Coordinates of all heavy atoms in Angstrom, one line a residue:
Chain A
Q240 N 16.3 -10.7 -21.8 CA 16.1 -11.7 -20.7 C 15.5 -13.0 -21.2 O 14.6 -13.0 -22.0 CB 15.0 -11.1 -19.8 CG 14.9 -11.7 -18.4 CD 13.9 -11.1 -17.5 OE1 12.9 -10.5 -18.0 NE2 14.1 -11.2 -16.2
E241 N 16.2 -14.1 -20.8 CA 15.8 -15.4 -21.4 C 14.4 -15.8 -20.8 O 14.1 -15.5 -19.7 CB 16.8 -16.4 -21.1 CG 17.2 -16.6 -19.6 CD 18.2 -17.7 -19.4 OE1 18.2 -18.7 -20.1 OE2 19.0 -17.6 -18.4
P242 N 13.6 -16.5 -21.6 CA 12.3 -16.9 -21.1 C 12.5 -17.9 -19.9 O 13.4 -18.7 -19.8 CB 11.7 -17.6 -22.3 CG 12.6 -17.6 -23.4 CD 13.9 -17.0 -22.9
L243 N 11.5 -17.8 -19.0 CA 11.5 -18.6 -17.8 C 10.9 -20.0 -18.3 O 10.0 -20.1 -19.0 CB 10.5 -18.0 -16.8 CG 10.6 -18.5 -15.4 CD1 12.0 -18.3 -14.8 CD2 9.6 -17.7 -14.5
T244 N 11.6 -21.1 -17.9 CA 11.2 -22.4 -18.3 C 10.8 -23.2 -17.1 O 11.2 -22.9 -15.9 CB 12.3 -23.1 -19.0 OG1 13.4 -23.3 -18.1 CG2 12.8 -22.4 -20.2
A245 N 10.1 -24.3 -17.3 CA 9.6 -25.2 -16.3 C 10.8 -25.8 -15.5 O 10.8 -25.9 -14.3 CB 8.8 -26.3 -16.8
S246 N 11.9 -26.1 -16.3 CA 13.1 -26.7 -15.6 C 13.8 -25.7 -14.7 O 14.3 -26.0 -13.7 CB 14.0 -27.3 -16.6 OG 14.4 -26.4 -17.6
M247 N 13.8 -24.4 -15.2 CA 14.4 -23.4 -14.3 C 13.6 -23.2 -13.0 O 14.2 -23.1 -11.9 CB 14.4 -22.0 -15.1 CG 15.4 -21.9 -16.2 SD 15.1 -20.5 -17.3 CE 15.3 -19.1 -16.2
L248 N 12.3 -23.3 -13.1 CA 11.5 -23.2 -12.0 C 11.7 -24.3 -11.0 O 11.8 -24.2 -9.8 CB 10.0 -23.1 -12.4 CG 9.4 -21.8 -12.7 CD1 7.9 -21.9 -12.9 CD2 9.7 -20.7 -11.6
A249 N 11.7 -25.5 -11.6 CA 11.8 -26.8 -10.9 C 13.0 -26.8 -10.0 O 13.1 -27.5 -9.0 CB 11.7 -28.0 -11.8
A250 N 14.1 -26.1 -10.5 CA 15.4 -26.1 -9.8 C 15.3 -25.2 -8.5 O 16.2 -25.2 -7.7 CB 16.5 -25.6 -10.7
A251 N 14.3 -24.4 -8.4 CA 14.2 -23.4 -7.3 C 13.2 -23.9 -6.2 O 12.3 -24.7 -6.5 CB 13.8 -22.1 -7.8
P252 N 13.4 -23.5 -5.0 CA 12.4 -23.9 -3.9 C 11.1 -23.2 -4.2 O 11.0 -22.2 -4.9 CB 13.0 -23.3 -2.6 CG 14.2 -22.5 -3.0 CD 14.5 -22.7 -4.4
P253 N 10.0 -23.8 -3.7 CA 8.6 -23.3 -4.0 C 8.4 -21.8 -3.9 O 7.9 -21.2 -4.7 CB 7.7 -24.1 -3.1 CG 8.5 -25.4 -2.8 CD 9.9 -25.0 -2.8
Q254 N 8.9 -21.3 -2.7 CA 8.7 -19.9 -2.5 C 9.4 -19.0 -3.5 O 8.9 -18.0 -4.0 CB 9.2 -19.5 -1.1 CG 8.7 -18.1 -0.6 CD 7.3 -18.1 -0.1 OE1 6.7 -19.2 0.1 NE2 6.7 -16.9 0.0
E255 N 10.6 -19.5 -3.9 CA 11.4 -18.8 -4.9 C 10.8 -18.9 -6.3 O 10.9 -18.0 -7.1 CB 12.8 -19.3 -4.9 CG 13.8 -18.3 -5.3 CD 15.2 -18.8 -5.0 OE1 15.5 -19.0 -3.9 OE2 16.0 -18.9 -6.0
Q256 N 10.1 -20.0 -6.6 CA 9.4 -20.2 -7.8 C 8.4 -19.1 -8.1 O 8.3 -18.5 -9.1 CB 8.7 -21.5 -7.9 CG 9.7 -22.7 -7.9 CD 9.0 -24.1 -7.9 OE1 7.8 -24.2 -8.1 NE2 9.8 -25.1 -7.6
K257 N 7.6 -18.8 -7.0 CA 6.6 -17.7 -7.1 C 7.3 -16.4 -7.3 O 6.8 -15.5 -8.1 CB 5.7 -17.7 -5.9 CG 4.8 -18.9 -5.7 CD 3.7 -18.9 -6.8 CE 2.7 -20.0 -6.5 NZ 1.8 -20.2 -7.7
Q258 N 8.4 -16.2 -6.6 CA 9.2 -15.0 -6.8 C 9.6 -14.8 -8.2 O 9.5 -13.7 -8.8 CB 10.4 -15.0 -5.9 CG 11.4 -13.9 -6.0 CD 10.8 -12.6 -5.3 OE1 10.0 -12.7 -4.5 NE2 11.3 -11.5 -5.7
M259 N 10.1 -15.8 -8.8 CA 10.6 -15.8 -10.2 C 9.5 -15.5 -11.2 O 9.6 -14.6 -12.1 CB 11.3 -17.1 -10.6 CG 12.6 -17.4 -9.9 SD 13.0 -19.2 -10.0 CE 13.7 -19.2 -11.6
L260 N 8.3 -16.1 -10.9 CA 7.2 -15.8 -11.8 C 6.7 -14.4 -11.6 O 6.3 -13.7 -12.6 CB 6.1 -16.8 -11.5 CG 6.3 -18.3 -11.9 CD1 5.4 -19.3 -11.2 CD2 6.1 -18.4 -13.4
G261 N 6.7 -14.0 -10.4 CA 6.2 -12.6 -10.1 C 7.1 -11.6 -10.7 O 6.6 -10.6 -11.3
E262 N 8.4 -11.8 -10.8 CA 9.3 -10.8 -11.4 C 9.1 -10.7 -12.9 O 9.3 -9.7 -13.5 CB 10.8 -11.2 -11.1 CG 11.2 -11.2 -9.6 CD 11.4 -9.8 -9.1 OE1 11.3 -8.9 -9.8 OE2 11.6 -9.7 -7.9
R263 N 8.6 -11.8 -13.5 CA 8.3 -11.8 -14.9 C 6.9 -11.2 -15.2 O 6.7 -10.4 -16.2 CB 8.3 -13.2 -15.5 CG 9.6 -14.0 -15.3 CD 10.7 -13.3 -16.1 NE 12.0 -13.9 -15.8 CZ 12.7 -14.5 -16.8 NH1 12.3 -14.5 -18.0 NH2 13.9 -15.0 -16.5
L264 N 6.0 -11.5 -14.3 CA 4.6 -11.0 -14.5 C 4.5 -9.5 -14.2 O 3.8 -8.8 -14.9 CB 3.6 -11.8 -13.6 CG 3.3 -13.2 -14.0 CD1 2.7 -13.9 -12.8 CD2 2.4 -13.2 -15.2
Y265 N 5.2 -9.1 -13.2 CA 5.0 -7.7 -12.7 C 5.1 -6.6 -13.8 O 4.3 -5.8 -13.9 CB 5.9 -7.5 -11.5 CG 5.7 -6.1 -10.8 CD1 4.6 -5.9 -10.0 CD2 6.5 -5.0 -11.2 CE1 4.4 -4.6 -9.4 CE2 6.3 -3.8 -10.6 CZ 5.3 -3.6 -9.7 OH 5.1 -2.3 -9.2
P266 N 6.2 -6.6 -14.5 CA 6.4 -5.6 -15.5 C 5.3 -5.6 -16.6 O 4.9 -4.5 -17.1 CB 7.8 -5.8 -16.2 CG 8.3 -7.1 -15.5 CD 7.4 -7.5 -14.5
L267 N 4.8 -6.8 -16.9 CA 3.8 -6.9 -17.9 C 2.5 -6.3 -17.4 O 1.7 -5.6 -18.1 CB 3.5 -8.3 -18.3 CG 4.8 -9.1 -18.8 CD1 4.5 -10.6 -19.0 CD2 5.2 -8.5 -20.2
I268 N 2.2 -6.5 -16.1 CA 1.0 -6.0 -15.5 C 1.1 -4.5 -15.2 O 0.2 -3.8 -15.4 CB 0.7 -6.8 -14.2 CG1 0.5 -8.3 -14.5 CG2 -0.5 -6.2 -13.4 CD1 0.4 -9.2 -13.3
L269 N 2.3 -4.1 -14.9 CA 2.6 -2.7 -14.6 C 2.2 -1.9 -15.8 O 1.7 -0.7 -15.7 CB 4.0 -2.5 -14.2 CG 4.4 -1.2 -13.7 CD1 3.8 -0.9 -12.3 CD2 6.0 -1.0 -13.6
A270 N 2.5 -2.4 -17.0 CA 2.3 -1.7 -18.3 C 0.8 -1.5 -18.5 O 0.3 -0.5 -19.1 CB 2.9 -2.4 -19.4
M271 N 0.0 -2.4 -17.9 CA -1.5 -2.3 -18.1 C -2.2 -1.6 -17.0 O -3.1 -0.8 -17.2 CB -2.1 -3.7 -18.3 CG -1.8 -4.4 -19.6 SD -2.4 -6.1 -19.5 CE -4.2 -5.8 -19.4
H272 N -1.8 -1.8 -15.8 CA -2.5 -1.3 -14.6 C -1.4 -0.8 -13.6 O -1.2 -1.5 -12.6 CB -3.4 -2.4 -14.0 CG -4.5 -2.7 -14.8 ND1 -5.7 -2.0 -14.9 CD2 -4.7 -3.8 -15.7 CE1 -6.5 -2.5 -15.8 NE2 -5.9 -3.6 -16.3
P273 N -0.8 0.3 -13.8 CA 0.3 0.8 -12.9 C -0.1 0.8 -11.4 O 0.7 0.5 -10.6 CB 0.6 2.2 -13.5 CG 0.1 2.2 -14.8 CD -1.1 1.3 -14.9
S274 N -1.3 1.3 -11.1 CA -1.7 1.5 -9.7 C -2.0 0.2 -9.0 O -1.9 0.1 -7.8 CB -2.9 2.5 -9.6 OG -4.0 1.9 -10.3
L275 N -2.4 -0.8 -9.8 CA -2.8 -2.1 -9.1 C -1.8 -3.2 -9.4 O -2.1 -4.4 -9.0 CB -4.2 -2.5 -9.7 CG -5.4 -1.7 -9.3 CD1 -6.6 -2.1 -10.1 CD2 -5.7 -1.8 -7.8
A276 N -0.7 -2.9 -10.0 CA 0.2 -4.0 -10.5 C 0.6 -5.0 -9.4 O 0.6 -6.2 -9.6 CB 1.4 -3.4 -11.2
G277 N 1.0 -4.4 -8.2 CA 1.4 -5.3 -7.1 C 0.4 -6.3 -6.6 O 0.6 -7.5 -6.4
K278 N -0.9 -5.7 -6.5 CA -2.0 -6.6 -6.0 C -2.4 -7.6 -7.1 O -2.7 -8.7 -6.8 CB -3.2 -5.7 -5.7 CG -3.0 -4.9 -4.5 CD -3.2 -5.7 -3.2 CE -3.2 -4.9 -1.9 NZ -3.2 -5.8 -0.8
I279 N -2.4 -7.2 -8.4 CA -2.8 -8.1 -9.4 C -1.8 -9.2 -9.5 O -2.1 -10.4 -9.6 CB -2.9 -7.3 -10.8 CG1 -4.0 -6.3 -10.7 CG2 -3.2 -8.3 -11.9 CD1 -4.0 -5.4 -11.9
T280 N -0.5 -8.8 -9.4 CA 0.6 -9.9 -9.5 C 0.4 -10.8 -8.3 O 0.5 -12.1 -8.5 CB 2.0 -9.2 -9.4 OG1 2.1 -8.2 -10.4 CG2 3.1 -10.3 -9.6
G281 N 0.1 -10.3 -7.1 CA -0.1 -11.2 -6.0 C -1.3 -12.1 -6.2 O -1.2 -13.3 -5.8
M282 N -2.4 -11.6 -6.8 CA -3.5 -12.5 -7.1 C -3.1 -13.6 -8.1 O -3.5 -14.7 -8.0 CB -4.6 -11.7 -7.8 CG -5.5 -11.0 -6.8 SD -6.8 -10.1 -7.6 CE -7.9 -11.5 -8.1
L283 N -2.4 -13.2 -9.2 CA -2.1 -14.2 -10.2 C -1.1 -15.2 -9.7 O -1.1 -16.3 -10.2 CB -1.5 -13.5 -11.5 CG -2.5 -12.5 -12.2 CD1 -1.8 -12.1 -13.5 CD2 -3.8 -13.2 -12.5
L284 N -0.4 -14.9 -8.7 CA 0.6 -15.8 -8.2 C -0.1 -17.0 -7.4 O 0.5 -18.0 -7.0 CB 1.6 -15.2 -7.2 CG 2.7 -14.3 -8.0 CD1 3.6 -13.6 -7.0 CD2 3.5 -15.2 -8.9
E285 N -1.4 -16.8 -7.2 CA -2.2 -17.9 -6.6 C -2.5 -19.0 -7.6 O -2.8 -20.2 -7.3 CB -3.5 -17.4 -6.0 CG -3.3 -16.5 -4.9 CD -4.7 -16.0 -4.3 OE1 -5.7 -16.6 -4.6 OE2 -4.7 -14.9 -3.7
I286 N -2.3 -18.7 -8.9 CA -2.5 -19.7 -9.9 C -1.3 -20.7 -10.0 O -0.2 -20.4 -9.6 CB -2.6 -19.0 -11.3 CG1 -3.8 -18.0 -11.3 CG2 -2.7 -19.9 -12.5 CD1 -3.8 -17.1 -12.5
D287 N -1.6 -21.9 -10.4 CA -0.6 -23.0 -10.5 C 0.6 -22.5 -11.4 O 0.4 -21.8 -12.4 CB -1.2 -24.2 -11.2 CG -1.9 -25.1 -10.3 OD1 -1.8 -24.8 -9.0 OD2 -2.5 -26.1 -10.7
N288 N 1.8 -22.8 -11.0 CA 3.0 -22.4 -11.7 C 3.0 -22.8 -13.2 O 3.4 -22.1 -14.0 CB 4.2 -23.0 -11.0 CG 4.5 -22.3 -9.7 OD1 3.8 -21.4 -9.3 ND2 5.5 -22.8 -9.0
S289 N 2.5 -24.0 -13.4 CA 2.5 -24.5 -14.8 C 1.6 -23.6 -15.7 O 1.9 -23.3 -16.8 CB 2.0 -26.0 -14.9 OG 0.7 -26.1 -14.2
E290 N 0.4 -23.2 -15.1 CA -0.5 -22.3 -15.9 C 0.2 -20.9 -16.0 O 0.0 -20.3 -17.0 CB -1.8 -22.2 -15.2 CG -2.9 -21.6 -16.1 CD -4.2 -21.5 -15.4 OE1 -4.5 -22.2 -14.4 OE2 -5.0 -20.6 -15.9
L291 N 0.9 -20.5 -15.0 CA 1.5 -19.1 -15.0 C 2.6 -19.1 -16.2 O 2.7 -18.1 -16.9 CB 2.2 -18.8 -13.7 CG 1.2 -18.4 -12.6 CD1 1.9 -18.3 -11.3 CD2 0.5 -17.1 -12.9
L292 N 3.3 -20.2 -16.3 CA 4.3 -20.3 -17.4 C 3.6 -20.2 -18.8 O 4.1 -19.5 -19.7 CB 5.0 -21.7 -17.3 CG 6.1 -21.7 -16.3 CD1 6.7 -23.2 -16.3 CD2 7.3 -20.7 -16.6
L293 N 2.4 -20.8 -18.9 CA 1.7 -20.7 -20.2 C 1.2 -19.3 -20.4 O 1.2 -18.8 -21.5 CB 0.4 -21.7 -20.1 CG 0.8 -23.2 -20.1 CD1 -0.5 -24.0 -20.0 CD2 1.5 -23.6 -21.4
L294 N 0.8 -18.6 -19.3 CA 0.3 -17.3 -19.4 C 1.4 -16.3 -19.9 O 1.2 -15.4 -20.7 CB -0.3 -16.8 -18.1 CG -1.6 -17.3 -17.7 CD1 -2.0 -16.9 -16.3 CD2 -2.7 -16.9 -18.7
L295 N 2.6 -16.6 -19.4 CA 3.8 -15.8 -19.8 C 4.1 -15.9 -21.2 O 4.7 -15.0 -21.9 CB 5.0 -16.1 -18.9 CG 5.0 -15.5 -17.5 CD1 6.1 -16.2 -16.7 CD2 5.2 -14.0 -17.5
E296 N 3.8 -17.1 -21.8 CA 4.0 -17.3 -23.2 C 2.9 -16.9 -24.1 O 3.0 -16.9 -25.3 CB 4.3 -18.8 -23.4 CG 5.6 -19.3 -22.9 CD 5.7 -20.8 -22.9 OE1 4.9 -21.5 -23.5 OE2 6.7 -21.3 -22.3
S297 N 1.8 -16.5 -23.5 CA 0.6 -16.2 -24.3 C 0.0 -14.8 -23.9 O -0.8 -14.8 -23.0 CB -0.4 -17.3 -24.1 OG -1.7 -16.8 -24.6
P298 N 0.5 -13.8 -24.5 CA 0.1 -12.4 -24.1 C -1.4 -12.3 -24.1 O -2.0 -11.6 -23.2 CB 0.7 -11.5 -25.2 CG 1.9 -12.3 -25.7 CD 1.5 -13.7 -25.6
E299 N -2.1 -12.9 -25.0 CA -3.6 -12.7 -25.0 C -4.2 -13.4 -23.8 O -5.2 -12.8 -23.2 CB -4.2 -13.4 -26.3 CG -4.3 -12.4 -27.5 CD -4.8 -13.1 -28.7 OE1 -5.7 -13.9 -28.6 OE2 -4.3 -12.8 -29.8
S300 N -3.8 -14.6 -23.5 CA -4.3 -15.2 -22.3 C -4.0 -14.5 -21.0 O -4.8 -14.3 -20.1 CB -3.8 -16.7 -22.1 OG -3.9 -17.4 -23.3
L301 N -2.8 -13.9 -21.0 CA -2.4 -13.1 -19.8 C -3.2 -11.9 -19.7 O -3.7 -11.6 -18.6 CB -0.9 -12.8 -20.0 CG -0.3 -11.9 -18.8 CD1 -0.4 -12.7 -17.5 CD2 1.1 -11.5 -19.1
H302 N -3.5 -11.3 -20.8 CA -4.3 -10.1 -20.9 C -5.7 -10.3 -20.3 O -6.1 -9.6 -19.4 CB -4.5 -9.7 -22.4 CG -4.4 -8.2 -22.6 ND1 -5.5 -7.4 -22.5 CD2 -3.3 -7.5 -22.9 CE1 -5.1 -6.2 -22.8 NE2 -3.8 -6.2 -23.0
S303 N -6.3 -11.4 -20.7 CA -7.7 -11.7 -20.2 C -7.6 -12.1 -18.7 O -8.5 -11.8 -18.0 CB -8.4 -12.7 -21.1 OG -7.7 -13.9 -21.1
K304 N -6.6 -12.8 -18.3 CA -6.4 -13.2 -16.9 C -6.3 -11.9 -16.1 O -6.8 -11.8 -15.0 CB -5.3 -14.1 -16.8 CG -5.2 -14.8 -15.5 CD -6.4 -15.7 -15.2 CE -6.3 -17.1 -15.7 NZ -7.4 -18.0 -15.3
I305 N -5.5 -11.0 -16.6 CA -5.3 -9.7 -15.8 C -6.6 -9.0 -15.7 O -6.9 -8.5 -14.6 CB -4.2 -8.8 -16.5 CG1 -2.8 -9.5 -16.4 CG2 -4.2 -7.4 -15.9 CD1 -1.8 -8.8 -17.2
E306 N -7.4 -8.9 -16.7 CA -8.7 -8.2 -16.7 C -9.6 -8.9 -15.7 O -10.3 -8.2 -15.0 CB -9.3 -8.1 -18.1 CG -8.5 -7.2 -19.1 CD -8.3 -5.8 -18.5 OE1 -9.1 -5.3 -17.8 OE2 -7.2 -5.3 -18.8
E307 N -9.6 -10.2 -15.7 CA -10.3 -11.0 -14.7 C -9.9 -10.6 -13.3 O -10.8 -10.4 -12.5 CB -10.0 -12.5 -15.0 CG -11.2 -13.5 -14.8 CD -10.7 -14.8 -15.2 OE1 -10.6 -15.1 -16.4 OE2 -10.4 -15.6 -14.3
A308 N -8.6 -10.6 -13.1 CA -8.1 -10.3 -11.7 C -8.5 -8.9 -11.3 O -8.9 -8.6 -10.2 CB -6.6 -10.4 -11.7
V309 N -8.5 -7.9 -12.2 CA -8.9 -6.5 -11.9 C -10.3 -6.5 -11.5 O -10.7 -5.8 -10.5 CB -8.6 -5.6 -13.1 CG1 -9.2 -4.3 -12.9 CG2 -7.1 -5.5 -13.4
A310 N -11.2 -7.2 -12.2 CA -12.6 -7.2 -11.9 C -12.8 -7.8 -10.5 O -13.6 -7.2 -9.7 CB -13.4 -8.0 -13.0
V311 N -12.2 -8.9 -10.2 CA -12.3 -9.5 -8.9 C -11.8 -8.5 -7.8 O -12.4 -8.3 -6.8 CB -11.5 -10.8 -8.8 CG1 -11.5 -11.4 -7.4 CG2 -12.1 -11.9 -9.8
L312 N -10.7 -7.9 -8.1 CA -10.1 -7.0 -7.1 C -11.0 -5.8 -6.9 O -11.2 -5.4 -5.7 CB -8.7 -6.5 -7.7 CG -7.7 -5.9 -6.7 CD1 -7.4 -6.8 -5.5 CD2 -6.4 -5.6 -7.5
Q313 N -11.6 -5.3 -7.9 CA -12.4 -4.1 -7.7 C -13.7 -4.5 -7.0 O -14.2 -3.8 -6.1 CB -12.7 -3.5 -9.1 CG -11.5 -2.7 -9.6 CD -11.7 -2.2 -11.0 OE1 -12.6 -2.7 -11.8 NE2 -10.9 -1.3 -11.5
A314 N -14.2 -5.7 -7.3 CA -15.4 -6.1 -6.6 C -15.1 -6.3 -5.1 O -15.9 -6.1 -4.3 CB -15.9 -7.4 -7.3
H315 N -13.9 -6.8 -4.9 CA -13.5 -7.1 -3.5 C -13.3 -5.8 -2.7 O -13.6 -5.8 -1.5 CB -12.2 -7.9 -3.6 CG -11.6 -8.2 -2.2 ND1 -12.1 -9.3 -1.5 CD2 -10.6 -7.7 -1.5 CE1 -11.4 -9.4 -0.3 NE2 -10.5 -8.4 -0.3
Q316 N -12.9 -4.8 -3.4 CA -12.6 -3.5 -2.7 C -13.8 -2.7 -2.4 O -13.8 -1.8 -1.6 CB -11.5 -2.7 -3.4 CG -10.1 -3.4 -3.3 CD -9.1 -2.6 -4.1 OE1 -9.4 -1.9 -5.1 NE2 -7.8 -2.8 -3.7
I317 N -14.9 -2.9 -3.1 CA -16.1 -2.1 -2.9 C -16.8 -2.5 -1.6 O -16.8 -3.7 -1.2 CB -17.1 -2.4 -4.1 CG1 -16.5 -1.7 -5.4 CG2 -18.5 -1.8 -3.8 CD1 -17.2 -2.2 -6.6
Chain B
S257 N -10.1 -5.7 9.4 CA -10.6 -7.0 8.8 C -9.4 -7.6 8.0 O -8.7 -6.9 7.3 CB -11.7 -6.7 7.8 OG -11.9 -7.7 6.9
S258 N -9.3 -8.9 8.0 CA -8.2 -9.6 7.3 C -8.4 -9.5 5.8 O -7.4 -9.7 5.1 CB -8.0 -11.0 7.8 OG -9.2 -11.7 7.5
S259 N -9.6 -9.4 5.4 CA -9.9 -9.5 4.0 C -9.3 -8.2 3.2 O -9.1 -8.3 2.1 CB -11.4 -9.5 3.7 OG -12.0 -8.3 4.1
V260 N -9.1 -7.2 4.0 CA -8.5 -6.0 3.4 C -7.1 -6.3 2.9 O -6.6 -5.7 2.0 CB -8.5 -4.8 4.5 CG1 -7.7 -3.6 3.9 CG2 -9.9 -4.4 4.8
N261 N -6.4 -7.2 3.6 CA -5.0 -7.5 3.2 C -4.9 -8.5 2.0 O -3.8 -8.8 1.6 CB -4.3 -8.1 4.4 CG -4.2 -7.1 5.5 OD1 -4.0 -5.9 5.3 ND2 -4.4 -7.5 6.8
W262 N -6.0 -8.9 1.5 CA -6.0 -9.8 0.4 C -6.2 -9.0 -0.9 O -7.0 -8.1 -0.9 CB -7.1 -10.9 0.5 CG -7.1 -11.8 -0.7 CD1 -6.4 -13.0 -0.7 CD2 -7.7 -11.6 -1.9 NE1 -6.6 -13.6 -1.9 CE2 -7.4 -12.8 -2.7 CE3 -8.5 -10.6 -2.5 CZ2 -7.9 -12.9 -4.0 CZ3 -9.0 -10.8 -3.8 CH2 -8.6 -11.9 -4.5
P263 N -5.5 -9.3 -2.0 CA -4.4 -10.3 -2.1 C -3.1 -9.7 -1.6 O -3.0 -8.4 -1.5 CB -4.4 -10.5 -3.6 CG -4.8 -9.2 -4.2 CD -5.8 -8.6 -3.2
P264 N -2.1 -10.5 -1.2 CA -0.8 -10.0 -0.8 C -0.2 -9.3 -2.0 O -0.4 -9.7 -3.2 CB 0.0 -11.3 -0.5 CG -0.8 -12.4 -1.1 CD -2.2 -12.0 -1.2
E265 N 0.4 -8.2 -1.8 CA 1.0 -7.4 -2.9 C 2.4 -7.9 -3.2 O 3.2 -8.0 -2.3 CB 1.0 -5.9 -2.4 CG 1.4 -5.0 -3.6 CD 1.1 -3.5 -3.3 OE1 0.5 -3.3 -2.2 OE2 1.4 -2.7 -4.1
F266 N 2.6 -8.0 -4.5 CA 4.0 -8.4 -5.0 C 4.8 -7.1 -5.2 O 4.3 -6.2 -5.8 CB 3.9 -9.2 -6.3 CG 5.2 -9.5 -6.8 CD1 5.9 -10.7 -6.4 CD2 5.9 -8.7 -7.7 CE1 7.1 -11.0 -6.9 CE2 7.1 -9.1 -8.2 CZ 7.8 -10.2 -7.8
R267 N 6.0 -7.1 -4.6 CA 6.9 -6.0 -4.9 C 8.2 -6.5 -5.5 O 8.8 -7.4 -4.9 CB 7.2 -5.3 -3.5 CG 6.0 -4.6 -2.9 CD 6.4 -3.8 -1.7 NE 5.3 -3.2 -1.0 CZ 4.6 -3.9 -0.1 NH1 4.9 -5.1 0.2 NH2 3.5 -3.3 0.4
P268 N 8.5 -6.0 -6.7 CA 9.7 -6.5 -7.4 C 10.9 -6.3 -6.6 O 11.1 -5.3 -5.9 CB 9.7 -5.7 -8.7 CG 8.8 -4.5 -8.4 CD 7.8 -4.9 -7.4
G269 N 11.8 -7.3 -6.6 CA 13.0 -7.2 -5.9 C 12.9 -7.6 -4.4 O 13.9 -7.7 -3.7
E270 N 11.7 -7.8 -3.9 CA 11.5 -8.3 -2.5 C 11.0 -9.7 -2.5 O 10.3 -10.1 -3.4 CB 10.4 -7.4 -1.8 CG 10.9 -6.0 -1.6 CD 9.8 -5.2 -0.7 OE1 9.0 -5.9 -0.1 OE2 9.9 -4.0 -0.8
P271 N 11.5 -10.5 -1.5 CA 11.0 -11.9 -1.5 C 9.5 -12.0 -1.4 O 8.9 -11.2 -0.7 CB 11.7 -12.4 -0.2 CG 12.8 -11.4 0.1 CD 12.4 -10.1 -0.4
W272 N 8.9 -12.9 -2.1 CA 7.5 -13.1 -2.1 C 7.0 -13.6 -0.8 O 7.6 -14.7 -0.3 CB 7.1 -14.0 -3.3 CG 5.7 -14.4 -3.3 CD1 5.2 -15.7 -3.3 CD2 4.5 -13.5 -3.4 NE1 3.8 -15.7 -3.3 CE2 3.4 -14.4 -3.4 CE3 4.3 -12.2 -3.4 CZ2 2.1 -13.9 -3.5 CZ3 3.0 -11.6 -3.5 CH2 1.9 -12.5 -3.5
K273 N 6.0 -13.0 -0.2 CA 5.6 -13.5 1.2 C 4.2 -14.1 1.1 O 3.7 -14.4 2.1 CB 5.6 -12.3 2.1 CG 6.9 -11.7 2.4 CD 6.9 -10.7 3.5 CE 8.3 -10.1 3.8 NZ 8.9 -9.4 2.7
G274 N 3.7 -14.3 -0.1 CA 2.4 -15.0 -0.2 C 2.6 -16.5 -0.1 O 3.6 -17.0 0.4
Y275 N 1.6 -17.2 -0.6 CA 1.6 -18.6 -0.5 C 2.6 -19.2 -1.5 O 2.7 -18.8 -2.6 CB 0.2 -19.2 -0.9 CG -0.8 -18.1 -0.8 CD1 -1.1 -17.2 -1.8 CD2 -1.4 -17.8 0.5 CE1 -2.0 -16.2 -1.7 CE2 -2.3 -16.8 0.6 CZ -2.6 -16.0 -0.4 OH -3.5 -15.0 -0.3
P276 N 3.5 -20.2 -1.1 CA 4.4 -20.8 -2.0 C 3.7 -21.5 -3.1 O 4.2 -21.4 -4.2 CB 5.2 -21.7 -1.1 CG 4.4 -21.9 0.2 CD 3.5 -20.7 0.3
N277 N 2.7 -22.2 -2.8 CA 1.9 -22.9 -3.8 C 0.6 -23.4 -3.3 O 0.4 -23.4 -2.1 CB 2.7 -24.1 -4.4 CG 2.5 -24.3 -5.9 OD1 1.5 -23.8 -6.4 ND2 3.5 -24.9 -6.5
I278 N -0.3 -23.7 -4.2 CA -1.6 -24.2 -3.8 C -1.7 -25.7 -3.8 O -1.3 -26.2 -4.8 CB -2.7 -23.6 -4.7 CG1 -2.5 -22.1 -4.7 CG2 -4.1 -24.0 -4.2 CD1 -3.5 -21.2 -4.1

């Protein structure tokens, strides 16, 4: 699968841009948190698209962002 | 409570129904 680029995103309507980012993020999140993957992806999609592209290129940053999202999600659900 | 529905859940292969952008 070719990497998602800013120009590929820019060619799509806003709603579809999030969809494209979600499709890339979801499998990565699924590998870490299978039971929460859909919710975590939904949370991360609130982040700016430009930052999401950076996260997709940086597994370490993505990792810490996912952990951050899990903490927020768990706090929210209590 | 509406807060229970946050965050919207992403499902692969389905159109995203959350916020298009902030």
Side-chain angles (χ1 to χ4, degrees):
Chain A
Q240 198 178 26
E241 57 178 327
L243 197 57
T244 63
S246 54
M247 285 164 67
L248 273 188
Q254 192 79 15
E255 207 170 300
Q256 293 177 14
K257 291 294 186 189
Q258 176 74 21
M259 291 164 78
L260 287 160
E262 297 286 355
R263 302 297 175 117
L264 286 165
Y265 184 81
L267 303 173
I268 297 169
L269 190 67
M271 287 175 65
H272 293 279
S274 60
L275 292 172
K278 288 286 187 187
I279 297 170
T280 307
M282 276 183 75
L283 293 189
L284 287 177
E285 294 181 18
I286 298 171
D287 276 354
N288 290 357
S289 55
E290 193 181 341
L291 287 172
L292 280 176
L293 293 176
L294 288 174
L295 281 170
E296 287 170 11
S297 165
E299 270 179 38
S300 308
L301 180 62
H302 222 272
S303 56
K304 193 60 90 175
I305 290 172
E306 293 307 326
E307 214 175 283
V309 169
V311 172
L312 196 54
Q313 285 173 343
H315 179 77
Q316 285 178 338
I317 289 168
Chain B
S257 157
S258 62
S259 67
V260 173
N261 296 322
W262 182 91
E265 187 164 359
F266 179 86
R267 293 186 186 85
E270 290 185 21
W272 172 238
K273 295 188 177 65
Y275 340 91
N277 216 335
I278 307 251

